[in-house]
């Protein structure tokens, strides 16, 4: 998935980029909110294998980090 790859590229250069971590958290949460069948199709058949490791724990980890580093941003 292009967004996932772009965010990881940003974090490779600047690991503490709060807004990139925010987006990764939202991406993980979005995947986890999908119906199980839809999630399976998206990660297995539509080339979203980068999202196969999505979890609520990862979403929370990224969003918590972002909130601590950039508390002025709404929506964490």
């Amino acid at each position: 998935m292009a967004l996932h790859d772009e965010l990881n590229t940003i974090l490779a250069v600047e690991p503490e980029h709060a807004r990139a971590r925010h987006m990764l958290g939202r991406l993980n949460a979005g995947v986890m909110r999908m119906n199980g069948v839809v999630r399976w199709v998206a990660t297995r058949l539509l080339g979203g294998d980068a999202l196969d490791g999505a979890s609520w724990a990862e979403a929370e980890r990224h969003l918590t980090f972002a909130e601590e580093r950039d508390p002025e941003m709404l929506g964490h």
Side-chain angles (χ1 to χ4, degrees):
M1 170 174 236
L3 176 60
H4 187 265
D5 294 343
E6 286 181 35
L7 292 171
N8 282 324
T9 300
I10 291 168
L11 292 173
V13 174
E14 190 179 340
E16 299 199 2
H17 193 285
R19 293 187 183 214
R21 297 281 295 267
H22 170 86
M23 290 304 299
L24 271 178
R26 293 197 48 150
L27 190 58
N28 272 272
V31 170
M32 295 308 297
R33 280 192 293 273
M34 289 180 186
N35 171 297
V37 173
V38 174
R39 184 172 44 238
W40 185 87
V41 169
T43 58
R44 302 295 188 304
L45 303 179
L46 299 178
D49 51 332
L51 302 175
D52 193 29
S55 70
W56 287 116
E58 279 297 289
E60 184 176 9
R61 183 175 72 88
H62 288 300
L63 290 170
T64 299
F65 180 93
E67 184 176 19
E68 291 170 356
R69 299 299 165 123
D70 190 5
E72 302 298 316
M73 182 179 171
L74 300 175
H76 295 308

